[in-house]
């Protein structure tokens, strides 16, 4: 059972004869004519631990699962492709499948009595009504195929206005945040609001944003002792959190608070930025690999204590697994925080992380791998990794590496109907064999072409930048909070954003000041580039900028300003 993670507290979940996700387990289910019990969990997940300690520790349930099912256990973070297709609305997800991977029944946390009852019902139905079930599942599969079909359309400001109105309608004016309870930080919404305020100067959006950011940082969702944000709050007032701390959440919020400090310098968000960095450096950072661990476990007793009392107890477990997408997100956040705070140490840690991903998580053939638990990288060419790392490469100024990764994304993942699939075409069991176009990763990927083309010296070219975005016009309303990320991309695509090219030697203070000014400009869509004459003579010649003058050029489309100094 070494490959599986169970609750750190006493439990008997390992007595279930779990199989790894793979063709062998599905073949076994088919040969034995048994349904599959799929358990999707996560090492940081509180209710996953509870289910290990309760439902999966009852002897009668262990016996039932081992005799009547082929049980498969999947780590959500290690297999996002499986989680995307089978998650039942949270973690844990408990899913009963046919041997072909179709869903018979499912839920999230199932208490012992519920799991025992439902398990026997499903197993009995599979034994006694299999042909009828297969007929019904075929009809369901047909409807799912129809629902997943692309729904293209034209980009329009109405998309941005509509998403903006939905977000305003969800806003909680009393406590900040969106919706009632539980309250999640929802970085995609916060980023959209921040960018829209930076584009248009809306005071209403500014008020929504600052109230939410301040409430989150001053409330129970933030660890006031060690720093870092917990995963979510169980109450509308933000005062009772779920105590997991995720690299993904903290990296996304770090970047948002850094940009918020740039726009609202009197709100004290610089303190939050440094505090999150302090926790990430102290708890998650692995200096031997220059990357961050994935998460720190929930421990309600520990986090209720003050600083001195915590020192008397062991800290909650840290999952030292390296996830590419989360580390790329953290690297970009550090690069941004370092820029905003003018802190070279933070900035260099971000740049070092980008280089470490290139070294550790890429294979000899250029494939970018998803995860490394310390025994080797696995799961290549997932869109969620490539899209985020592409931005990290651009943030770090590694243009040639970004171009290479973008080309591999097109070759391995581009969908003919527009956008990108979440994984390469590959045979395998169950739903992951059906390629899908996930909204979150596609929104991130769609933001890259304009940046990449501007940095490569080509004009943005709206006609070439739009197709991946237009293919989602008819379906974005179904995406929930991720519609905000899509609307942010659409807002950028509907305008001709400026780019700033700084020309000057790498050690010239004037060029450095110009580049910093461009990077810290209010406009969220500006693409800034520093061309060093000795390193980029071809790019300077192509663009017609004199190599012997330190200056900045502001360009919109193919038109550039006079040199600025």
């Amino acid at each position: 059972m070494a490959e599986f993670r169970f609750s750190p507290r006493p439990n008997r979940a390992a007595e279930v004869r779990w199989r790894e996700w793979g063709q062998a387990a599905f073949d076994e289910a088919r040969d034995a004519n048994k349904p599959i019990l799929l358990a999707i969990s996560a090492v940081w997940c509180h209710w996953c631990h509870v289910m290990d300690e309760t439902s999966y520790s009852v002897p009668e349930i262990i016996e039932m699962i081992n005799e009547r099912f082929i049980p498969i256990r999947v780590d959500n973070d290690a297999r996002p492709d499986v989680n995307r297709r089978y998650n039942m609305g949270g973690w844990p997800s408990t899913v009963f499948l046919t041997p072909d991977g179709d869903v018979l029944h499912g839920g999230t946390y199932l208490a012992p009595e519920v799991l025992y009852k439902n398990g026997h019902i499903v197993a009995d139905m599979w034994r006694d009504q299999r042909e009828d079930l297969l007929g019904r599942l075929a009809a369901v599969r047909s409807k799912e195929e129809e629902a997943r079909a692309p729904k293209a359309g034209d980009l329009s400001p109405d998309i941005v206005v509509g998403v903006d109105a939905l977000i305003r309608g969800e806003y909680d004016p009393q406590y900040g945040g969106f919706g009632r309870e539980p309250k999640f930080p929802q970085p995609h919404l916060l980023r959209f609001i921040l960018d829209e305020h930076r584009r248009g100067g809306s005071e209403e959006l500014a008020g929504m944003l600052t109230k939410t950011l301040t409430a989150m940082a001053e409330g129970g969702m933030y660890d006031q002792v060690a720093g870092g944000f917990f995963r979510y709050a169980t109450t509308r007032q933000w005062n009772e959190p779920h105590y997991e701390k995720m690299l993904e959440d903290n990296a996304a919020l770090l970047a948002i608070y850094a940009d918020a400090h740039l726009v609202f310098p009197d709100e004290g968000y610089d303190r939050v930025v440094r505090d999150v960095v302090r926790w990430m450096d102290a708890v998650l950072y692995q200096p031997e690999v220059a990357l961050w661990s994935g998460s720190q476990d929930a421990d309600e007793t520990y986090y209720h204590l003050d600083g001195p009392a915590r020192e008397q107890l062991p800290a909650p477990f840290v999952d030292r697994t390296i996830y590419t997408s989360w580390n790329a997100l953290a690297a970009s956040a550090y690069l941004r925080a370092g820029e905003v705070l003018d802190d070279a140490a933070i900035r260099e840690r971000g740049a070092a992380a980008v280089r470490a991903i290139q070294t550790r998580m890429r294979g000899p053939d250029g494939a970018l791998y998803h995860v490394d638990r310390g025994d080797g990288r696995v799961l290549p060419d997932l869109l969620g990794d490539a899209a985020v790392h592409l931005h990290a490469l651009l943030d770090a100024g590694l243009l040639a590496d970004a171009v290479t990764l973008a080309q591999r994304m097109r070759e391995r993942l581009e969908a003919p109907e527009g956008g990108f699939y979440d994984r390469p075409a590959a045979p395998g069991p169950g739903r992951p064999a059906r390629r899908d176009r996930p909204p979150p990763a596609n929104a991130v990927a769609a933001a890259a072409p304009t940046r990449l083309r501007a940095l490569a010296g080509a004009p943005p070219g709206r006609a070439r930048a739009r197709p991946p975005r237009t293919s989602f016009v008819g379906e974005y309303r179904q995406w929930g909070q991720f519609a905000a990320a899509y609307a942010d991309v659409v807002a950028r695509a509907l305008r001709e954003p400026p780019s700033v090219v700084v020309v000057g030697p790498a050690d010239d203070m004037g060029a450095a000041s110009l580049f910093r000014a461009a990077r810290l400009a209010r406009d969220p869509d500006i693409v800034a580039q520093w061309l060093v004459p000795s390193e980029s003579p071809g790019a300077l010649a192509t663009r017609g900028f004199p190599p012997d003058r330190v200056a900045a050029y502001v360009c919109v489309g193919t038109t550039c300003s006079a040199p600025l100094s």
Side-chain angles (χ1 to χ4, degrees):
M1 289 293 170
E3 67 269 28
F4 299 115
R5 309 283 187 89
F6 301 103
S7 169
R9 295 179 290 274
N11 69 88
R12 299 177 62 180
E15 295 179 29
V16 177
R17 293 196 290 271
W18 300 105
R19 280 74 159 176
E20 288 187 315
W21 178 275
Q23 191 64 55
F26 281 79
D27 289 344
E28 183 183 357
R30 191 174 296 108
D31 293 343
N33 194 23
K34 291 181 179 180
I36 289 166
L37 173 62
L38 172 63
I40 303 176
S41 62
V43 66
W44 44 263
C45 167
H46 169 75
W47 284 104
C48 303
H49 296 168
V50 172
M51 196 158 177
D52 282 347
E53 298 153 19
T54 57
S55 303
Y56 292 137
S57 291
V58 175
E60 293 80 4
I61 293 178
I62 295 171
E63 181 181 9
M64 175 194 72
I65 294 174
N66 287 335
E67 288 187 357
R68 307 202 70 182
F69 294 90
I70 300 300
I72 297 176
R73 192 171 176 106
V74 168
D75 183 286
N76 157 72
D77 301 329
R79 289 303 302 260
D81 55 333
V82 176
N83 175 71
R84 170 163 171 74
R85 289 157 174 81
Y86 288 113
N87 193 287
M88 293 287 109
W91 299 278
S93 277
T94 311
V95 198
F96 299 97
L97 307 177
T98 72
D100 290 324
D102 288 319
V103 176
L104 292 164
H105 183 63
T108 51
Y109 169 79
L110 299 184
E113 61 276 10
V114 177
L115 178 58
Y116 186 77
K117 177 182 177 181
N118 288 359
H120 278 300
I121 289 173
V122 169
D124 288 345
M125 290 184 68
W126 181 255
R127 181 191 62 200
D128 302 332
Q129 305 173 40
R130 185 164 63 92
E131 294 305 320
D132 182 50
L133 283 173
L134 291 175
R136 286 190 241 166
L137 289 171
V140 170
R141 194 161 53 243
S142 177
K143 290 182 179 178
E144 288 178 346
E145 294 286 346
E146 182 180 344
R148 292 207 318 271
K151 302 173 180 65
D154 294 327
L155 295 188
S156 162
D158 292 342
I159 296 173
V160 182
V161 172
V163 171
D164 181 279
L166 288 173
I167 291 173
R168 291 173 193 257
E170 287 289 308
Y171 176 65
D172 181 349
Q174 187 171 358
Y175 296 105
F178 304 91
R180 297 306 187 202
E181 67 274 331
K183 264 193 179 154
F184 288 80
Q186 303 192 68
H188 297 284
L189 268 67
L190 298 175
R191 172 57 65 184
F192 172 76
I193 293 170
L194 177 57
D195 286 353
E196 277 296 282
H197 169 68
R198 293 168 73 187
R199 291 184 187 109
S202 166
E203 291 304 315
E204 183 180 2
L205 290 179
M208 292 165 60
L209 184 70
T210 54
K211 187 173 184 68
T212 299
L213 293 181
T214 300
M216 284 173 25
E218 294 181 353
M221 210 190 86
Y222 190 77
D223 186 347
Q224 305 296 335
V225 176
F229 288 92
F230 299 114
R231 186 164 166 261
Y232 68 94
T234 61
T235 62
R236 181 184 173 195
Q237 297 87 346
W238 302 100
N239 53 7
E240 289 294 332
H242 247 234
Y243 288 98
E244 306 95 344
K245 286 185 186 176
M246 311 295 299
L247 172 60
E248 179 183 29
D249 296 336
N250 278 276
L253 290 171
L254 175 61
I256 288 169
Y257 275 90
D259 277 334
H261 171 62
L262 186 67
V263 181
F264 309 105
D266 298 328
E267 295 292 337
Y269 297 143
D270 54 334
R271 177 193 61 81
V272 181
V273 171
R274 291 194 181 278
D275 215 28
V276 172
V277 167
R278 172 175 67 92
W279 172 76
M280 289 177 64
D281 283 353
V283 176
L284 298 187
Y285 192 65
Q286 300 181 36
E288 68 276 13
V289 296
L291 294 168
W292 293 271
S293 303
S295 63
Q296 186 172 28
D297 204 354
D299 187 328
E300 185 173 341
T301 300
Y302 177 88
Y303 286 117
H304 274 155
L305 302 174
D306 60 16
R310 285 190 195 182
E311 293 176 0
Q312 307 305 311
L313 296 176
F317 172 76
V318 173
D319 176 15
R320 291 176 59 83
T321 304
I322 301 297
Y323 296 102
T324 293
S325 57
W326 297 359
N327 269 277
L329 198 65
S332 287
Y334 267 58
L335 285 164
R336 188 58 174 165
E339 284 178 338
V340 171
L341 300 180
D342 198 17
D343 189 313
I346 296 176
R347 189 166 58 245
E348 175 49 36
R349 180 150 291 185
V354 177
R355 296 192 296 269
I357 292 171
Q358 287 289 94
T359 302
R360 185 184 183 93
M361 304 306 291
R362 286 176 71 246
D365 63 348
L368 184 66
Y369 285 79
H370 172 62
V371 61
D372 186 349
R373 284 182 168 171
D375 52 1
R377 57 199 174 212
V378 295
L379 207 59
D381 292 320
L382 296 187
L383 176 61
D385 299 314
V388 180
H389 187 49
L390 177 56
H391 284 280
L393 289 168
L394 293 174
D395 291 336
L398 301 177
L399 180 58
D401 291 325
V403 170
T404 299
L405 178 57
Q407 180 61 33
R408 187 173 181 91
M409 287 171 62
R410 287 192 291 271
E411 293 171 353
R412 304 277 289 169
L413 301 172
E414 191 167 34
E417 63 270 28
F420 295 93
Y421 295 122
D422 63 337
R423 51 168 290 165
R431 287 181 174 179
R434 309 177 204 165
R435 302 175 83 188
D436 199 6
R437 301 181 308 145
N442 266 284
V444 175
T450 299
R451 293 187 69 193
L452 192 57
R453 285 172 56 76
L455 290 171
R462 291 185 181 179
R464 292 186 59 183
R466 281 189 179 186
R469 305 173 180 94
T470 59
S471 64
F472 294 101
V473 167
E475 57 191 273
Y476 72 90
R477 293 177 184 84
Q478 307 167 19
W479 295 356
Q481 63 166 300
F482 298 112
Y486 177 71
D488 205 11
V489 171
V490 170
R492 186 173 295 115
L494 288 170
R495 60 188 299 228
E496 198 77 75
S499 62
V500 178
V501 180
V502 174
V503 179
D507 58 354
D508 188 275
M509 296 303 295
S513 295
L514 287 168
F515 186 69
R516 175 171 163 78
R519 290 287 295 159
L520 300 184
R522 183 181 184 90
D523 191 323
D525 303 326
I526 278 181
V527 179
Q529 183 179 24
W530 186 346
L531 294 180
V532 177
S534 62
E535 299 173 2
S536 307
L540 284 173
T542 299
R543 304 183 74 165
F545 301 136
D548 55 351
R549 179 173 185 176
V550 174
Y553 303 85
V554 180
C555 305
V556 178
T558 57
T559 303
C560 294
S561 71
L564 306 172
S565 59

